[in-house]
Amino acid sequence: MNKINEHIIIIGNGISGITAAREVRKQGGQAITVISAETDYFFSRTALMYVYMGHMKFEHTQPYENFFWQKNNIQLIKALVQKVDTASKKIQLDRGDWLAYDKLVIATGSRPNKFGWPGQDLKGVMGMYSKQDLEYLEQSTKNCKRAVIVGGGLIGIEMAEMLHSRKIAVTLLVREAGFWGNILPPSESAMIGRHIKEHHIDLRLSTGLIEILSDRDGSARAVVTDKGETIDCQVVGLAAGVTPNIDFLKGSGIELGKGVKVNRYLETNIENVYAIGDCAEQQEAIDLRKPVEAVWYTGRIMGETLARTLCGKRTAYDPGPWFNSAKFFDIEYQTYGWVWAKPREYENQFYWEHPKGKKAIRISYHKETKAFLGINCLGIRMRHEFFDTVLNNQLSVDNVISNLKKANFDPELFTTYEKEIKTAFEKDHSNLIPTNNG
Amino acid sequence: MDKKIISLSLANPEPVNMNGVQKLSVGIGFAGLFIFVLALLNINFPYKAGWLYGSIVFILAGIIIYSISTYKKLPEGIQNNGVYFKSISSKGLWGWVTGIVLTALYIFLYWYPEYLGMGKDGTANKGLVGFFDPLSYFLNGHAATQWFVYGTLYTMAIVGFGYKFILKYRHNKYQLVRTISVMFFQLGFAFLIPEILAKLNPTLPYFSKDIKNMWPLNYYFFEDWHLKGMLGGGNLGMFMLLFGLAMIFIISPILTYFYGKRWYCSWVCGCGGLAETAGDPFRHLSTKKLGAWKFERWCIHFVLVFIVLTTIAVLYTFLGDPANKVLITRNQFTLGVIIFLSVVIAAIFIFRRKQLDTDSKFTLASLGIIVVGVILINFLSGQNNILFIDSYQFRSWYGFAIGSAFSGVIGVGFYPLMGSRVWCRFGCPMAAILGLQQKLFSRFRITTNGGQCISCGNCSTYCEMGIDVRAYAQKGENIVRSSCVGCGICAAVCPRGVLKLENGDEKSRFDYSPILIEKDNIKVSG
Ligand SMILES: Cc1cc2nc3c(=O)[nH]c(=O)nc-3n(C[C@H](O)[C@H](O)[C@H](O)COP(=O)(O)OP(=O)(O)OC[C@H]3O[C@@H](n4cnc5c(N)ncnc54)[C@H](O)[C@@H]3O)c2cc1C
Ligand code: SF4
Ligand code: SF4
């Protein structure tokens, strides 16, 4: 298994690339080189907001101390890969030289979407993805009174929270009728909407961006919305989703779609070339997942899976039941399994909301089989392991309702609402609960 | 590769300005402190008691108004915005000034109390100590000492900043209850009850009347003067002696088994109480470097060996003095200690060999060294010396180096520079013992929630004990660490709901989450 002479090159030092590198190192003695143009060392992209908000310093976003890489014989290169020559198995760096690989892992992540809005390249207009973006934001917001954020998703609300923490007035433009409306059902979306306003963010629903206006120096000075309004601002945040970062692979012979096309083994069409993380596009559907999944967790799982393959144990990517989490200002969100914003025809949904409007759960189950399908939790923490077991074994919704106490993961001494939830459930969905709560 | 990491937050964000009410409240608080300074400068106040109580009220009112104006208007949630931008909490100018002032205060307190106005050899108090006389007479019937002043300020800090902490974390019931608990124990058990007991029993010799202050944190518990004080202290003294022993050998092990060392370190202890309340703005300043963890092991176990051997030496001398009528002889005592420690060590080896990590090996080795030390003491000591050195010499070194310089000057004075738990982490011998038990014989753990960690680092940054919580959480591994004081802040600040402090089945403590693939035992170093 230990092919000492093999050279594995990983492009991208994000969670997927770094996980692959670490897991390969655990199992084998191959030479490993990780190349990234962004930073010297791996850092947690998800924590960039906390640096801007002053909760942490940038160094705190780095999960490993700097000596770690050398100590574990993982070579790091800070450079941009410009070309991949799959025929001669070489890659070219922006500093000019070529590096030879035996196996190549593409883990280049995403970049923010820009939809060709007029003014999208003005000064003061930016996405929020990389460390450079953060530095640019820091610079641009020095004399900023108002910022407009475009995009009602996870990064949009993070940007709103960031700017708000620096006492900058924020307008948040959301195209959908509710915040994160394509993922969150209306009640949850409304709850988050209220909370956003509680934090004095000027939330504008069903509102899109038409163009960004420039001042004389080429800096943004205002945005025009599709409602015909002009909003003065100095900074514009573009947070309308991300796209795989794969332009440099065009012409390499590696099959590309939206992302780098891979099979269940994370192999591309070219032997010894693999893709993982945000930039990979699954050719074959995996349960109800999207072909490109731009989340931290899947990047990590792909990295772990691929490492096994690279070490001689060909392993299929099997992410298990879907889960995700986020935090909207002060309200935490966790989800396990699938709960659709617009219930699918086989779905029954049960919703409970705390009277104060900051906690809620929504449980989805199958109309006929009563199998538990998924849960959204707002303001209540739930145990991952519990729902993983329920979903893997297709247990019934009754089982979940009667075991909510076991499922709860809130800190000790917190008030819990199992009884309320159970009573509410029995009222609306009473035919479900058998006498012996199994 | 470029070794220096340029912190983005150094890019000058807008200064964090205080609002009008905040400024006013700081003004009120400082007015109270200013009266103390005037008293220190020997300004004579007419109606001294009025000024004293007035200044105390001013300080507390300042803290309370500040807390309300800072937190009440914000929605409930984590309030760490700008922590690394504020001078006081990011080792800026105000951080240093605060550190230096606190350090100076401790230096005067321990070694130059006369500059605080402490009357020497029966002369009347002056200055700041004299200023506190009215309160001291009222509570315990004596003139104030520098320790009375200190105790009052300490209690005010825990109560005042405890209130601030409660408002800051009002959405989190664990924090709420825990903070009320430390405030209660400080105000009642450490401050009021001992003073009142002293007043009710004016003729008794001095001994500690704070029943929660246990050996070895209270390092003088077994010193001859203290033992004599308790033995000569009537029923109250006897109670304190027996309760103190019960705390060490019965109550503490039981509570630590069920709840982890947090029952003491972050629910009861005064040192912990100050760290959690007044020290809260500095908790993130503790270093998380691997090197610091290594240093921590050496340092805390050195202190542990030092205090246990010192205590044994002092007891040994005490037992050898025919003037002390005691029930056991020196030989019986040393034999008892050796047997007790050997049984503990053997039990750990037999039952917990597989769970020993480097921390617990260090603690075990320390216990072993103590056994050897006891044997040496027994064989190489004369009537009044221990290992050829006067045993009282040992104890005065401990009192100076550890009891005063470490726990006070560095432990609290360096809050704004090294974080709030420097003493608890690097020095407290009690933490070492409770830590060993927490690691090996306890139901406490921090459970990691499956695969939900995004490696953001909030938990590690805000762990006052310098534990790299994320290193465990991102692997789906539970956190079972000797040094964890169970403050619960990591769980509070985690934006993804990944961490939960729990007591549960001992066996499942070390389980890995079954969701992550990474659970095989192949190790990556570092
Ligand atoms: C602000 C923000 C918050 C987020 N929060 C969450 C969250 O809470 N939960 C969640 O699940 N997900 C979150 N995400 C998404 C998550 O961060 C990504 O899914 C994840 O980081 C992707 O990891 P990756 O390894 O695929 O790629 P990346 O982390 O993007 O790493 C790719 C690296 O490769 C480098 N690179 C690209 N091309 C080249 C080249 N040609 N040559 C050299 N280097 C190159 C890039 O510079 C980059 O450093 C967040 C994303 C952002 C931006
Ligand atoms: S690990 Fe968590 S609970 Fe333990 S001391 Fe650190 S922050 Fe507190
Ligand atoms: S446990 Fe929570 S706070 Fe810690 S790194 Fe993971 S997500 Fe962040």
Side-chain angles (χ1 to χ4, degrees), chain B residues 174-175 178 261-262 266 276 283 288 421 438 444 446 458-469 472 479 481 483-493 499 501:
Chain B
Y174 179 79
Q175 300 302 336
R178 177 176 78 87
K261 79 196 218 188
R262 56 185 171 150
S266 56
E276 294 295 340
R283 59 172 60 249
K288 279 78 190 179
R421 288 267 192 178
Q438 168 157 290
F444 173 70
I446 303 178
N458 275 293
C459 52
S460 298
T461 306
Y462 285 87
C463 175
E464 53 191 351
M465 293 303 284
I467 297 173
D468 189 1
V469 185
Y472 301 82
I479 296 110
R481 273 280 292 267
S483 57
C484 170
V485 291
C487 65
I489 293 294
C490 53
V493 297
L499 304 163
L501 283 67

Side-chain angles (χ1 to χ4, degrees), chain A residues 170-427:
Chain A
V170 178
T171 299
L172 181 59
L173 303 187
V174 178
R175 211 179 39 187
E176 292 77 23
F179 173 78
W180 213 24
N182 45 1
I183 305 286
L184 291 181
S187 331
E188 287 93 316
S189 180
M191 175 187 289
I192 303 303
R194 289 195 304 271
H195 188 54
I196 292 175
K197 289 184 182 156
E198 188 186 2
H199 278 276
H200 310 292
I201 306 292
D202 171 26
L203 174 66
R204 312 238 181 144
L205 298 173
S206 310
T207 307
L209 173 69
I210 297 291
E211 74 168 308
I212 305 164
L213 304 178
S214 168
D215 68 3
R216 263 188 234 132
D217 321 323
S219 302
R221 68 170 172 84
V223 301
V224 180
T225 71
D226 59 5
K227 296 255 170 86
E229 283 164 305
T230 304
I231 305 168
D232 289 339
C233 62
Q234 295 77 44
V235 165
V236 179
L238 299 179
V242 295
T243 319
N245 188 7
I246 52 167
D247 286 349
F248 74 107
L249 294 173
K250 281 181 185 152
S252 65
I254 300 170
E255 193 185 346
L256 306 177
K258 193 174 176 234
V260 180
K261 296 218 166 194
V262 293
N263 62 17
R264 282 301 288 265
Y265 295 92
L266 306 166
E267 298 158 340
T268 66
N269 61 319
I270 292 182
E271 209 185 348
N272 293 322
V273 178
Y274 309 84
I276 51 176
D278 276 21
C279 69
E281 178 183 346
Q282 301 291 329
Q283 282 169 315
E284 189 188 312
I286 303 175
D287 62 61
L288 302 169
R289 289 163 184 263
K290 289 186 193 148
V292 176
E293 294 178 304
V295 283
W296 184 263
Y297 312 112
T298 48
R300 186 181 58 206
I301 300 173
M302 286 190 219
E304 289 181 0
T305 309
L306 180 62
R308 300 193 170 199
T309 303
L310 292 175
C311 292
K313 208 165 114 195
R314 193 161 175 256
T315 307
Y317 170 55
D318 176 19
W322 168 254
F323 65 95
N324 200 2
S325 61
K327 190 172 181 185
F328 310 113
F329 283 90
D330 305 312
I331 300 184
E332 289 174 19
Y333 160 79
Q334 292 184 336
T335 189
Y336 301 100
W338 298 108
V339 181
W340 298 99
K342 249 201 229 132
R344 302 202 165 178
E345 74 287 351
Y346 57 82
E347 235 184 317
N348 250 354
Q349 292 190 350
F350 159 73
Y351 181 70
W352 172 88
E353 186 174 310
H354 185 263
K356 284 201 180 138
K358 290 210 175 170
K359 294 174 192 290
I361 64 160
R362 178 182 298 272
I363 291 176
S364 162
Y365 60 92
H366 198 284
K367 270 183 186 154
E368 262 97 60
T369 66
K370 314 293 181 215
F372 172 87
L373 297 174
I375 184 168
N376 279 347
C377 318
L378 286 173
I380 296 180
R381 296 175 174 179
M382 293 283 184
R383 222 174 264 272
H384 191 174
E385 205 182 322
F386 176 86
F387 287 106
D388 204 57
T389 312
V390 168
L391 289 162
N392 276 327
N393 299 306
Q394 293 167 7
L395 299 183
S396 72
V397 64
D398 315 347
N399 190 304
V400 170
I401 294 288
S402 351
N403 285 304
L404 279 176
K405 209 184 186 85
K406 245 169 78 188
N408 185 283
F409 200 73
D410 276 333
E412 293 160 303
L413 307 180
F414 269 44
T415 313
T416 55
Y417 300 95
E418 286 99 30
K419 262 205 202 114
E420 285 90 328
I421 295 171
K422 196 170 169 197
T423 315
F425 186 83
E426 280 167 1
K427 209 170 123 223

Side-chain angles (χ1 to χ4, degrees), chain A residues 56-128:
Chain A
M56 303 198 289
K57 291 193 175 196
F58 183 74
E59 66 212 51
H60 297 126
T61 66
Q62 299 179 313
Y64 305 93
E65 284 188 62
N66 295 346
F67 64 76
F68 177 87
W69 309 104
Q70 201 180 7
K71 194 171 164 194
N72 287 294
N73 199 12
I74 295 173
Q75 201 199 348
L76 304 177
I77 296 179
K78 189 174 175 193
L80 186 72
V81 178
Q82 284 185 319
K83 229 185 237 158
V84 175
D85 181 350
T86 51
S88 63
K89 295 177 100 176
K90 276 185 182 155
I91 59 166
Q92 189 182 27
L93 305 182
D94 56 348
R95 55 187 199 204
D97 51 335
W98 290 83
L99 296 178
Y101 64 81
D102 296 302
K103 286 178 177 162
L104 180 68
V105 178
I106 300 163
T108 50
S110 316
R111 56 183 168 72
N113 281 334
K114 287 188 173 182
F115 290 121
W117 291 296
Q120 67 182 16
D121 295 318
L122 291 170
K123 274 187 263 174
V125 181
M126 71 207 70
M128 181 64 230

Side-chain angles (χ1 to χ4, degrees), chain A residues 12 15-16 36-38 45-46 79 81 107-109 129 278 295-296, chain B residues 496:
Chain A
I15 179 67
S16 59
S36 168
E38 186 179 5
R45 194 173 300 295
T46 53
V81 178
T108 50
Y129 191 83
D278 276 21
V295 283
W296 184 263
Chain B
R496 295 295 178 269

